[in-house]
Amino acid sequence: MGNVDSEATITLGPLAAPPPTVALPSPSFAERYHLGGVLAEGGLATVRAAHDVVLDRHVAVKQLRDPDPGLTTRFLREARITSRLIHPNIVPVYDLGFDQDGVLSYAMKWVEGRSLATAIAAAHTLDERLALVPAVIAIAEAVAYAHNQRVVHRDLKPANVILGSFGEVVVIDWGLALRLDDTDEPRTDRPSSPNPRLTSAGSVLGTPCYMPPEQARGERVGQAADIYALGATLYHVIAGVYPYEELGAPAGSSDPVWVRVIDAPPTPLAQLCPEVPPELAAIVEQ
């Protein structure tokens, strides 16, 4: 091999013992991650601040809320899919295991910042909102990478994007992600009650005001669903309201938003925001 002498030998000296104050790697998830306060809660999981005592760093730990077998399968799917997506705009997964209480959990990167939804709410002028458009471009790059890996997010929205303190744009919460090659996803019929805005196992998956009609109908979706959700996110960024909100379907209401999604597209962006650059309006309409 090149200039390496096959007869040569290399002698290594003894490895230095680590300082006694440094924690050694442990196979126990519970020992490695010391949990802190709750950062966010959803139907499937709770996200908590945590400290990795092995590498001495802040992380976030996502814990399964309900040990139901179907939800456990979905949680494991989320952790495994996300761990395979290695991209600067996708939150990396570090570890998977059981916490001190035996709850299935996974550790991921700590991203300090605010959600894109919060940033939109704080932007009171069109110029301030247009300054957020580069974040949507970064989201699109992450989604393009995921699609190249045959993964669909299925719940893209401003609340699932973190804007970091140093310009990071990170797509989080891949809990509804689907590998297009998977054929064993649990069936998800439309719920008997037509009013949930955020859905759970056994119902239409996704957030109605950002989903395409085929997803609102409970059909299996592909990459086009994420592209639609990107358009809906850009709509929200530019208009300052999410699609259908101006039609009387505020966040958290019992209005059947998914019915509106199936029936007709939202109010055209140019009608809501006449001063929007026509090129951007055309992208959103497309």
Side-chain angles (χ1 to χ4, degrees):
M1 296 174 58
N3 296 324
V4 177
D5 186 347
S6 61
E7 299 296 322
T9 60
I10 299 175
T11 301
L12 298 177
L15 293 176
T21 57
V22 175
L24 293 173
S26 166
S28 170
F29 188 98
E31 292 176 15
R32 177 166 185 170
Y33 301 102
H34 291 181
L35 301 179
V38 173
L39 300 174
E41 290 186 283
L44 178 66
T46 298
V47 179
R48 297 178 64 176
H51 182 72
D52 178 349
V53 299
V54 174
L55 295 177
D56 190 22
R57 62 179 177 178
H58 292 303
V59 297
V61 168
K62 191 166 188 177
Q63 304 169 292
L64 181 65
R65 290 172 62 98
D66 186 339
D68 172 84
L71 297 180
T72 299
T73 298
R74 181 158 303 182
F75 188 80
L76 286 171
R77 183 193 301 265
E78 171 186 352
R80 287 168 177 162
I81 288 177
T82 311
S83 71
R84 297 170 187 165
L85 298 176
I86 311 301
H87 188 276
N89 300 119
I90 297 176
V91 62
V93 169
Y94 296 143
D95 202 358
L96 174 70
F98 294 92
D99 68 12
Q100 294 93 327
D101 298 320
V103 176
L104 185 62
S105 309
Y106 69 81
M108 55 187 169
K109 180 180 180 179
W110 173 278
V111 182
E112 188 168 351
R114 58 179 179 168
S115 73
L116 178 57
T118 299
I120 294 170
H124 302 297
T125 68
L126 177 61
D127 285 344
E128 290 176 341
R129 294 194 298 273
L130 290 177
L132 299 172
V133 170
V136 182
I137 296 173
I139 300 167
E141 291 172 346
V143 171
Y145 167 79
H147 288 181
N148 181 261
Q149 302 300 308
R150 305 279 295 162
V151 172
V152 180
H153 188 285
R154 294 197 297 179
D155 199 20
L156 288 171
K157 56 185 177 182
N160 282 343
V161 177
I162 299 298
L163 307 182
S165 304
F166 295 94
E168 312 99 309
V169 178
V170 184
V171 180
I172 63 170
D173 200 347
W174 295 74
L176 300 186
L178 171 70
R179 287 183 57 85
L180 294 177
D181 299 324
D182 288 348
T183 58
D184 61 342
E185 185 190 26
R187 182 172 175 81
T188 53
D189 296 325
R190 185 184 302 125
S192 56
S193 173
N195 61 7
R197 181 171 180 271
L198 299 178
T199 58
S200 58
S203 67
V204 175
L205 295 177
T207 305
C209 55
Y210 300 98
M211 67 170 57
E214 65 270 23
Q215 191 170 355
R217 289 192 293 265
E219 300 170 7
R220 184 180 175 91
V221 299
Q223 296 166 337
D226 281 352
I227 296 170
Y228 181 101
L230 279 169
T233 296
L234 186 56
Y235 183 112
H236 191 171
V237 166
I238 296 170
V241 296
Y242 60 78
Y244 302 100
E245 182 177 6
E246 82 286 352
L247 298 179
S253 80
S254 60
D255 194 68
V257 181
W258 62 264
V259 173
R260 298 177 183 271
V261 172
I262 294 172
D263 286 347
T267 302
L269 183 61
Q271 181 178 325
L272 267 186
C273 192
E275 66 274 30
V276 64
E279 299 85 356
L280 272 179
I283 291 172
V284 173
E285 293 299 324
Q286 179 64 37

